[in-house]
Amino acid sequence: MAEQSITAERESELIESTPKRLYINGEWVDAQGGATLEVNDPSTGRLLCTVADASPRDGWNALKAAEAAQPGLAAMPPRERANILMRAFELMHERKDDLALLMTLEMGKPLSDAYGEVAYAAEFFRHFAEEATRISGSYQTAPAGGARFLVAKQPVGPTILITPWNFPLAMGTRKLGPAIAAGCTSVLKPAELTPLSMLALAEILHDAGLPAGAVNILVTSTAGKVMEPLIRSGIARKLSFTGSTEVGRKLLEQASERVLRTSMELGGNAGFVVFEDADIDAAVAGALLAKMRNTGEACTAANRIFVHRSVIDEFAAKLSAEMQKLPLGRGVEDGVRVGPLVDARQLEKVDALVTEAVDGGAKVLLGGQPVDRDGYFYPPTVLTDIPAGARMRQEEIFGPVAPLTAFDTEEEVISWINATEYGLVNYVYTENLRRGIRVAEAVESGMVGLNQGAVSNPAAPFGGIKESGLGREGGDTGIEEFLETKYIGIAM
Ligand code: ADP
């Protein structure tokens, strides 16, 4: 946790010392023609700095560097790859004050959330350092005899990794950790809104001894133009993406040309169910976490909160009281728990979703209007009586807005939860174990939080079903996404 008070001088010194160029083949290089893009502080709307803005030519250089480094990384002893990841894990902890502050400055999240993310992000490196030395295969006698089956795992090859702005550090380590552990080189493109965290991470990987070309970082304002030719080239054998379903669909189509392996962590529309037999105080605490972590800007955020009619008034009153207590402000200020949204577009979207629901008859218990100050602030908001056709029932809100809907029966609430094309995570609160298991099995999602409001853990398989994605990150399956299975049939 931050013990320091952040001064303007500390902010500008940190920005000054952060790398701002592309990281290609182990070197910091300018973009072709010296192009740059602006990085802003969403809590003030002001410019923080400019960073190199990659062109398609820079993208090509990065991919060629990854291709050239692939045989060396694949041949490196697993223990050495593990040691690099462990050193990077330790460096992330040593530099946690800088990493957390940088993330808060470019993304807006409160420092307490940023410190949490640094620890979570670093943990992917430790987890996959441990996995790197456990990659193994099998040996078997053919059922009919006369032959042996040798099954081995090999790195898929160079990879393209694309990450979003909401968890600028963790979404990077969640992909880089298994890629490095498996022996896959990569070109990583962070979101253009929040490139600084990933540039700082590149410096850490460099200092941890990662060979040149094993990881290349491309920042660009023209993601489509730069990445599409790389994806279609077939040089990379895998694409791992975290972002919107809309962009994921486009990338899947591009990846199909050369039949790339893909992992897709896409949108969510999480249901959060509170049954009449739930521990209401625990459910309120869980909803607060599932809703307010990262100021609601998470694909796992509780997007639709369903509360049994007999307890909805108590739940609504308690949740509103808790949400009202959360101090709003610049994420760098002491005690702030609600930061700004990431940009004007996100603020407009949240405002439009709330306005539409309220115009359709939703009741406002708390908040409901953008905050009148510099930056992109939306206050903690609680709504009830959400009209059936409201867009916020179908779309990700990505903001600190809790829409509550009363339900009467278990059957009804399961059907409402599943009435979405998304299937990332759902949360269920009940003290009845049988009901908890029954509902957890019936809801269509890759993950379920049973009496808990957060499910992310580097050692657990994170991912969605339906249009929330393909594949899993973390856990013991995370590394599989970066490995191919090779079967060698042996005549005897
Ligand atoms: P969000 O709506 O959360 O910003 P996006 O899916 O738009 O999510 O962005 C996630 C990541 O995908 C970002 O790094 C963004 O730059 C990148 N991206 C967006 N469009 C494309 C594209 N056409 N090709 C490759 N990457 C893209």
Side-chain angles (χ1 to χ4, degrees):
M1 190 54 59
E3 293 303 338
Q4 49 185 333
S5 209
I6 309 296
T7 60
E9 196 182 15
R10 160 93 171 106
E11 288 179 27
S12 51
E13 275 172 13
L14 176 61
I15 294 293
E16 185 65 29
S17 66
T18 300
K20 296 177 198 68
R21 297 196 284 174
L22 310 176
Y23 182 68
I24 297 178
N25 206 23
E27 290 177 1
W28 296 102
V29 296
D30 285 321
Q32 192 191 23
T36 57
L37 61 82
E38 295 188 346
V39 182
N40 295 307
D41 176 345
S43 70
T44 59
R46 286 199 289 273
L47 179 71
L48 283 173
C49 63
T50 60
V51 301
D53 183 2
S55 68
R57 168 76 67 82
D58 298 311
W60 196 248
N61 291 342
L63 187 61
K64 293 305 258 183
E67 183 183 31
Q70 179 56 47
L73 191 67
M76 182 186 275
R79 175 70 68 204
E80 272 181 46
R81 297 200 300 264
N83 286 343
I84 292 169
L85 286 171
M86 274 311 292
R87 276 198 294 276
F89 164 81
E90 284 156 10
L91 286 172
M92 286 180 78
H93 279 278
E94 275 172 32
R95 298 182 196 174
K96 68 178 193 295
D97 292 340
D98 286 356
L99 290 170
L101 179 54
L102 202 55
M103 213 184 326
T104 291
L105 288 174
E106 67 175 350
M107 189 275 171
K109 68 180 67 190
L111 258 187
S112 54
D113 278 354
Y115 273 93
E117 180 171 345
V118 174
Y120 172 58
E123 211 51 46
F124 283 105
F125 280 174
R126 178 156 66 175
H127 176 77
F128 285 107
E130 289 161 350
E131 291 289 296
T133 57
R134 310 272 183 266
I135 299 167
S136 65
S138 65
Y139 183 78
Q140 181 191 344
T141 301
R148 300 292 183 270
F149 301 164
L150 185 62
V151 178
K153 299 283 181 180
Q154 294 183 317
V156 295
T159 63
I160 294 174
L161 314 175
I162 301 177
T163 58
W165 49 262
N166 60 341
F167 293 98
L169 201 56
M171 296 303 97
T173 58
R174 187 152 87 175
K175 299 187 191 304
L176 290 170
I180 294 168
C184 297
T185 62
S186 53
V187 173
L188 185 146
K189 193 206 81 61
E192 56 275 32
L193 290 174
T194 58
L196 301 176
S197 299
M198 207 38 59
L199 293 171
L201 188 76
E203 198 171 41
I204 284 176
L205 287 167
H206 188 92
D207 294 348
L210 192 71
V215 168
N216 304 277
I217 309 287
L218 274 184
V219 178
T220 177
S221 61
T222 52
K225 259 214 227 134
V226 172
M227 301 313 286
E228 182 167 355
L230 308 188
I231 295 167
R232 290 192 188 275
S233 74
I235 292 175
R237 293 310 316 159
K238 158 139 196 127
L239 168 64
S240 178
F241 171 73
T242 300
S244 61
T245 298
E246 184 194 349
V247 173
R249 232 189 290 277
K250 227 188 281 181
L251 296 179
L252 276 171
E253 192 205 317
Q254 293 171 14
S256 72
E257 183 171 334
R258 303 299 297 265
V259 195
L260 305 193
R261 288 272 297 271
T262 56
S263 301
M264 295 275 146
E265 297 292 352
L266 308 177
N269 186 6
F272 187 105
V273 192
V274 183
F275 283 100
E276 65 277 24
D277 54 20
D279 172 339
I280 300 296
D281 290 341
V284 168
L288 201 65
L289 186 61
K291 183 72 256 179
M292 296 304 296
R293 189 167 72 111
N294 224 38
T295 314
E297 293 174 309
C299 52
T300 52
N303 211 53
R304 300 169 296 154
I305 302 179
F306 301 111
V307 188
H308 192 266
R309 195 175 301 282
S310 63
V311 291
I312 193 166
D313 290 345
E314 179 190 354
F315 181 88
K318 286 182 167 168
L319 182 65
S320 302
E322 290 301 319
M323 282 175 63
Q324 190 162 25
K325 280 189 216 154
L326 301 176
L328 175 146
R330 285 194 76 209
V332 297
E333 289 161 12
D334 280 347
V336 160
R337 293 281 309 282
V338 184
L341 299 180
V342 76
D343 64 3
R345 197 177 63 116
Q346 199 57 36
L347 178 62
E348 278 159 28
K349 186 186 154 201
V350 171
D351 188 29
L353 287 174
V354 172
T355 303
E356 189 228 33
V358 171
D359 288 349
K363 266 202 292 205
V364 181
L365 299 190
L366 182 70
Q369 295 282 342
V371 181
D372 185 17
R373 58 176 279 173
D374 284 349
Y376 312 113
F377 288 90
Y378 202 88
T381 293
V382 179
L383 306 175
T384 57
D385 301 342
I386 314 300
R391 278 198 296 140
M392 70 166 58
R393 284 199 176 207
Q394 290 304 324
E395 291 181 28
E396 276 192 291
I397 302 170
F398 248 61
V401 177
L404 309 187
T405 301
F407 73 91
D408 293 298
T409 68
E410 184 179 313
E411 213 176 18
E412 170 183 70
V413 79
I414 290 171
S415 77
W416 290 353
I417 283 183
N418 291 341
T420 166
E421 71 269 24
Y422 294 112
L424 187 62
V425 61
N426 288 294
Y427 305 90
V428 181
Y429 274 79
T430 172
E431 292 292 288
N432 177 333
L433 181 62
R434 244 187 237 162
R435 169 181 263 168
I437 300 285
R438 195 166 61 228
V439 176
E441 287 183 1
V443 295
E444 295 166 356
S445 55
M447 302 178 287
V448 177
L450 187 50
N451 294 322
Q452 62 180 39
V455 292
S456 304
N457 188 307
F462 184 104
I465 62 171
K466 294 161 78 178
E467 293 178 31
S468 286
L470 296 169
R472 295 292 179 270
E473 294 190 303
D476 53 6
T477 48
I479 198 164
E480 291 291 332
E481 305 266 326
F482 291 85
L483 292 168
E484 286 290 6
T485 298
K486 179 175 278 175
Y487 150 59
I488 304 166
I490 308 167
M492 294 296 288

